[in-house]
Amino acid sequence: MRTPRTTPETPEARFGRVFDHLEAVANYAARRGSDDPEGIAAETMAIAWRRLSSVPDREPRPWLFVTARNLLMAERRAAGRQTPLRPERADALAEPPVESSDPVVTAALMQLAPADREALTLIAWDDLTTAQAAATLGISPVAFRVRLHRARRRLARALADHRPTDRRPVAELESR
């Protein structure tokens, strides 16, 4: 019995699957304080097209998020070189805003260290698996799971300080 021949996928078709993540990349950039999240997403896609052979076939989002994060860091460095920063602008660049529909959750997240916030938001808001989030941060999945576990505990404590009787957001985060 003969096996059916499959035609190789064209680069345009492969890029089309990568491009489906454009909105997720723009949202990632917006949540991390970019002045131009659509521009970051567009530049990320341009880099993905140029380096299409480097983009993982099965799940491109971690690769795209790493690329977007690198562009965000370059954007912040360039902003720092171009104009002297007022103290409030320097703080905004160092700590991207965290916005939740619940002000108590926002306040609790802002009490956490940036690494804890990053671990939580990659899972809860960017909808990555722990393996994908680990790849995004360039750490092992085990190290990421430990970081996420500790971040969840710290968030639970921060939420308890603000809202001792209602722990629904923590339960929602822990269910992922």
Side-chain angles (χ1 to χ4, degrees):
M1 183 178 273
R2 290 177 26 167
T3 59
R5 278 190 163 171
T6 59
T7 59
E9 185 178 40
T10 66
E12 291 81 8
R14 184 160 181 254
F15 181 71
R17 287 188 292 112
V18 171
F19 193 78
D20 289 341
H21 300 283
L22 177 70
E23 186 176 347
V25 174
N27 291 339
Y28 176 89
R31 281 193 300 275
R32 278 139 187 94
S34 174
D35 291 335
D36 183 17
E38 291 81 15
I40 293 290
E43 183 63 24
T44 299
M45 291 301 158
I47 293 169
W49 173 250
R50 287 192 306 267
R51 298 182 181 167
L52 192 56
S53 62
S54 300
V55 179
D57 284 334
R58 296 184 57 84
E59 185 52 60
R61 275 188 308 160
W63 189 94
L64 294 169
F65 286 173
V66 167
T67 303
R69 186 175 61 202
N70 290 341
L71 291 170
L72 286 166
M73 288 188 293
E75 179 183 82
R76 290 182 180 127
R77 283 190 304 269
R81 284 192 301 261
Q82 291 174 358
T83 58
L85 294 178
R86 297 182 312 272
E88 65 274 6
R89 180 70 175 144
D91 292 340
L93 289 175
E95 297 286 329
V98 173
E99 296 178 12
S100 169
S101 58
D102 185 342
V104 173
V105 173
T106 299
L109 282 169
M110 289 309 295
Q111 288 181 353
L112 301 178
D116 289 343
R117 281 196 307 270
E118 182 78 2
L120 292 167
T121 58
L122 284 171
I123 297 296
W125 293 346
D126 293 316
D127 201 29
L128 296 180
T129 65
T130 55
Q132 293 167 339
T136 299
L137 296 178
I139 60 177
S140 75
V142 172
F144 181 80
R145 283 192 295 275
V146 169
R147 182 180 293 183
L148 181 62
H149 174 73
R150 290 176 180 164
R152 285 176 173 159
R153 280 195 340 232
R154 291 178 184 123
L155 179 62
R157 281 193 299 260
L159 283 170
D161 292 344
H162 292 286
R163 184 181 8 193
T165 59
D166 185 5
R167 295 195 179 161
R168 276 179 293 157
V170 174
E172 290 171 13
L173 285 173
E174 289 177 349
S175 68
R176 289 192 170 250

